Amino acid sequence: MKFLLIVHHNEEAFENMDKGTQRQLLTESIELTHQLHAAGQYVHASPLQPAATSVLVRVREGKSLVTDGPFIETREQIAGYFLINARNLDEAVGIAGRVPGARIGTVEVRPSIEITGLPNSREAYLVKVEG
């Protein structure tokens, strides 16, 4: 089962940390991805650009509405994510506790919904090959 570990932290507080601490957190995150990969649990992970670089898109009455920046004011912003394979929620929570961002913010653990027909799914591959 796939879980998305969404890392939230205060961007301003992170920017005010010394560069050595920032580098150490990134190094630990990279090490965790290698550990997860070795265990067959790694799917993808990435830090994100600051929330101010985001663009929000909504479609209302057939019209796209595009807004720059974060939609709501919050203390913590989404800083990055890990997409992992885990047997169950307990295992995913255990991995979330190993994410360095959990020490300076919060890691939200959310199970994904497995659906067929997506580009990387086995069913989509078979349709492409057999089609």
Side-chain angles (χ1 to χ4, degrees), residues 4-9 45-49 77-83 99 106-108:
L4 184 62
L5 310 181
I6 307 166
V7 182
H8 303 257
H9 67 67
S46 181
L48 297 174
Q49 295 287 332
Q77 295 77 33
I78 298 174
Y81 66 91
F82 289 74
L83 182 59
V99 173
T106 304
V107 177
E108 177 182 349

Side-chain angles (χ1 to χ4, degrees), residues 71-115:
F71 179 63
I72 56 173
E73 294 295 322
T74 61
R75 283 190 43 149
E76 292 185 340
Q77 295 77 33
I78 298 174
Y81 66 91
F82 289 74
L83 182 59
I84 63 164
N85 286 310
R87 288 186 301 268
N88 53 44
L89 181 61
D90 289 338
E91 185 174 47
V93 167
I95 293 169
R98 295 166 50 199
V99 173
R103 295 196 310 265
I104 62 169
T106 304
V107 177
E108 177 182 349
V109 178
R110 188 160 322 165
S112 68
I113 298 172
E114 300 282 334
I115 59 173

Side-chain angles (χ1 to χ4, degrees), residues 2 22 30 47 120 127:
K2 287 187 179 60
Q22 290 177 1
I30 292 168
N120 291 333
V127 168

Side-chain angles (χ1 to χ4, degrees), residues 19-53:
K19 297 302 179 200
T21 301
Q22 290 177 1
R23 276 192 303 277
Q24 181 61 32
L25 290 168
L26 179 59
T27 298
E28 289 177 34
S29 291
I30 292 168
E31 289 170 359
L32 177 58
T33 64
H34 286 278
Q35 293 166 7
L36 294 170
H37 180 72
Q41 296 175 298
Y42 178 79
V43 178
H44 197 267
S46 181
L48 297 174
Q49 295 287 332
T53 65

